[in-house]
Amino acid sequence: MEVASDLGETSIEAEIARETWITRLGFIFAVWGSMTGLGNVWNWPSKVSLLGGGPFVLIYLIMLALVGIPVVLTEFVLGSTFRRGFPSALKRIHPAGEFLGWFCMANSAVLEAFYVVLIGYAAVYAGFALTGLQLGGPMGAAYFTDQPEFFVNLLMSPLTLVGLIVVWIVVFAIDYFGTKGIERSVMIFFPLLWIIVIGMAIFGLTQPGAAAGINFYLNPQPNQFFETKMWSTAVSLSFFKLSAGMGILTAYASYLPRKGELTNSAVTTSLLDTTFAFTAGLAVFPIAATVGVLGDETVGSVGFAFVAWPGGMTMSGGNLLGFVFFLMIVFLGVTSAVSLLEAVVTAVMDKFGWPRSRTVIVMTIVMFLMGVPFTLWMAAPGAAATDVTWGLYLLDIFDYYVENFGLVLVTLFMMLITGWVWGGAKIIETANEAGDFELPSWYVWVIKVIAPIGIIAAFAFIVLSIFLEGLYLAGTVLDLIAPLVWVVICAGAAIALTMAKGVE
Ligand code: PHE
């Protein structure tokens, strides 16, 4: 009893003292920092390239307007209205909402676990680029000479674990200081990242493969507009890119002062993110064309960032350019990883009334440990050609479920609960209270009907393609077990945390 009342007081104090962003720009930069992550150099270029360039970019923009931005706005409203993390905010609408909230948090934790592993690769690359060391002994591939081999050597070494530890220390150190730490860091990272990506684009556009690369990137082939896969991928990719369905946007908006601006912020951050991805594409496609891996299936997935890019960098820029590029990846990733840690931290603090310091320490340890399997450097027997080690294989397969099922389903139910149970009109009202511009009343239908239909259609196609093409297949028994493990983690954690006694 006593413990409970203690916690109760902590939570009341926490309520009074909820952190806030110091400036409006701080909030916008922080959201942008979350949205603009590894996805810009990894998922975006590999999906645009596998799906055939130009038309996909247009389709992406259409789905951004119809589905992505309405979702971002809804998450913002949720956070700023209830001033709580995702599970507690949804619980205020409907008790069942809390389950959805924790399901989302568990899915996000899995995402964070492997996402930091990827940032770790980039950190290791940056180290090698700077020192010019070779990986795999004197006979091993040097950073400069053999990109695919260097990548494989890295995957097959415990350096993956070293990278994971290093990046977690940085992520922890920023989030430990809450909004202050986040706001200060993005104020530095924002200008720095733009300078680097613009520089990279100029570099790419001056490479011999520039014309071929840009042609591939932006040349529209009208018949592709009728391919369902383009539209469904645009939806799931936009959620990943916009950090939607992860509880991040709600958490960040919960730190806004009362009546903070939401509408313009949703549009600005989403478009800034797309512009950054687009600019990164102007660099990566010319480089990929120059090193001859344009549209090459084997560099799908993660390979795009770790084979095509450094391959190109070493061609004329040498180690310095490579170092700058990988530093960019690390910074891009860190601002996103911090935001996801913060989403989970806020949720736990809200529910259990723990102090920030304890919550950040515990959640860092939990997600670090969850990430260790994704670093496993042993060769994966029978795995697909691109999934060399157990770590990368697990990473790719869990990424598939987290992105295509987790993010899409969480977002769908979040839109339904918020738009229909709470009320679409309230969303518009709240946004208009302090919006830089006014949303028309018909916009309620975009939120209540058009966006959910877009999500349902995308999800239906994802399920259909499993029937047509089979599960994520690498030819091992894990293909069947992985989705089960994912469901058990997310649903199990959601049930346990929803039932757990909190302070609210
Ligand atoms: N928007 C991020 C990206 O593009 C996705 C993400 C955010 C992933 C936060 C993990 C944590 O990379």
Side-chain angles (χ1 to χ4, degrees):
M1 274 322 278
E2 224 178 84
V3 174
S5 74
D6 269 5
L7 289 174
E9 274 164 33
T10 321
S11 123
I12 292 162
E13 279 162 23
E15 159 90 43
I16 296 164
R18 190 158 190 96
E19 297 169 35
T20 47
W21 302 107
I22 302 164
T23 61
R24 179 175 168 190
L25 208 59
F27 167 67
I28 290 180
F29 281 11
V31 172
W32 175 84
S34 172
M35 291 177 169
T36 308
L38 298 187
N40 295 52
V41 288
W42 159 41
N43 316 38
W44 168 274
S46 72
K47 293 215 161 106
V48 177
S49 81
L50 290 180
L51 290 170
F56 182 73
V57 178
L58 265 184
I59 290 172
Y60 183 85
L61 286 174
I62 295 170
M63 294 321 265
L64 196 68
L66 293 179
V67 183
I69 292 176
V71 165
V72 172
L73 183 66
T74 304
E75 273 205 46
F76 276 176
V77 169
L78 206 56
S80 84
T81 303
F82 298 107
R83 314 195 89 211
R84 288 285 181 286
F86 203 54
S88 298
L90 286 171
K91 185 184 173 188
R92 303 252 164 142
I93 295 177
H94 192 280
E98 191 182 357
F99 175 84
L100 176 65
W102 287 115
F103 188 96
C104 165
M105 288 298 125
N107 187 60
S108 292
V110 177
L111 169 58
E112 178 86 338
F114 66 72
Y115 193 80
V116 179
V117 172
L118 290 173
I119 310 171
Y121 294 174
V124 173
Y125 262 86
F128 276 85
L130 194 66
T131 57
L133 285 173
Q134 300 198 323
L135 181 56
M139 300 305 289
Y143 170 81
F144 303 102
T145 48
D146 187 344
Q147 265 324 302
E149 194 186 331
F150 182 88
F151 186 47
V152 170
N153 282 358
L154 164 63
L155 290 173
M156 301 196 104
S157 84
L159 280 174
T160 48
L161 184 58
V162 175
L164 182 72
I165 295 171
V166 169
V167 176
W168 263 117
I169 291 173
V170 178
V171 170
F172 170 83
I174 295 175
D175 200 42
Y176 190 81
F177 299 99
T179 51
K180 277 200 200 68
I182 299 170
E183 193 160 349
R184 283 205 188 113
S185 62
V186 290
M187 284 299 179
I188 302 166
F189 289 143
F190 183 92
L192 202 63
L193 286 167
W194 278 100
I195 291 171
I196 297 177
V197 81
I198 291 170
M200 294 275 166
I202 293 172
F203 169 75
L205 292 172
T206 51
Q207 292 302 297
I214 294 303
N215 196 33
F216 178 80
Y217 188 24
L218 301 174
N219 190 21
Q221 288 143 7
N223 58 330
Q224 287 179 319
F225 282 98
F226 301 104
E227 281 175 31
T228 334
K229 189 168 189 173
M230 302 277 257
W231 297 85
S232 66
T233 308
V235 172
S236 56
L237 178 62
S238 79
F239 292 163
F240 186 84
K241 288 296 320 102
L242 299 173
S243 299
M246 304 179 190
I248 295 173
L249 304 171
T250 304
Y252 275 11
S254 77
Y255 298 133
L256 280 171
R258 286 253 170 250
K259 302 214 168 167
E261 208 288 332
L262 304 174
T263 323
N264 195 359
S265 307
V267 177
T268 307
T269 49
S270 305
L271 290 182
L272 272 178
D273 172 61
T274 310
T275 311
F276 194 98
F278 185 80
T279 313
L282 292 181
V284 74
F285 287 102
I287 292 173
T290 308
V291 296
V293 293
L294 201 60
D296 183 346
E297 300 250 345
T298 57
V299 295
S301 165
V302 186
F304 223 107
F306 296 100
V307 177
W309 275 98
M313 293 299 143
T314 55
M315 286 191 37
S316 61
N319 54 349
L320 185 65
L321 205 66
F323 174 70
V324 172
F325 170 69
F326 284 106
L327 207 61
M328 169 178 92
I329 298 202
V330 172
F331 291 162
L332 280 174
V334 162
T335 49
S336 299
V338 165
S339 71
L340 222 162
L341 174 60
E342 181 54 29
V344 177
V345 163
T346 278
V348 171
M349 285 169 69
D350 287 342
K351 168 122 192 176
F352 298 106
W354 288 6
R356 165 169 292 278
S357 49
R358 189 206 301 173
T359 319
V360 178
I361 292 170
V362 171
M363 292 330 294
T364 298
I365 294 172
V366 168
M367 288 191 260
F368 163 73
L369 292 176
M370 285 169 71
V372 172
F374 299 113
T375 66
L376 291 178
W377 49 91
M378 305 82 196
T386 44
D387 294 333
V388 186
T389 55
W390 276 108
L392 188 57
Y393 170 50
L394 290 174
L395 195 154
D396 271 334
I397 200 166
F398 276 94
D399 175 43
Y400 178 80
Y401 291 102
V402 164
E403 271 188 56
N404 292 303
F405 286 77
L407 299 186
V408 176
L409 287 177
V410 166
T411 311
L412 174 63
F413 286 108
M414 190 257 315
M415 290 306 279
L416 294 179
I417 292 180
T418 320
W420 290 89
V421 180
W422 194 54
K426 281 194 202 144
I427 299 177
I428 307 290
E429 225 172 85
T430 313
N432 280 346
E433 265 175 16
D436 282 350
F437 53 85
E438 188 139 326
L439 290 169
S441 53
W442 55 259
Y443 198 76
V444 77
W445 297 108
V446 176
I447 294 202
K448 285 177 82 164
V449 179
I450 295 182
I453 287 181
I455 306 173
I456 291 170
F459 186 67
F461 185 76
I462 289 167
V463 174
L464 182 73
S465 64
I466 287 185
F467 282 107
L468 296 178
E469 294 161 23
L471 280 173
Y472 179 95
L473 276 192
T476 78
V477 61
L478 240 115
D479 292 338
L480 297 172
I481 298 174
L484 295 178
V485 173
W486 172 78
V487 168
V488 168
I489 292 177
C490 294
I495 292 170
L497 286 158
T498 306
M499 310 256 287
K501 203 174 147 7
V503 293
E504 294 197 311

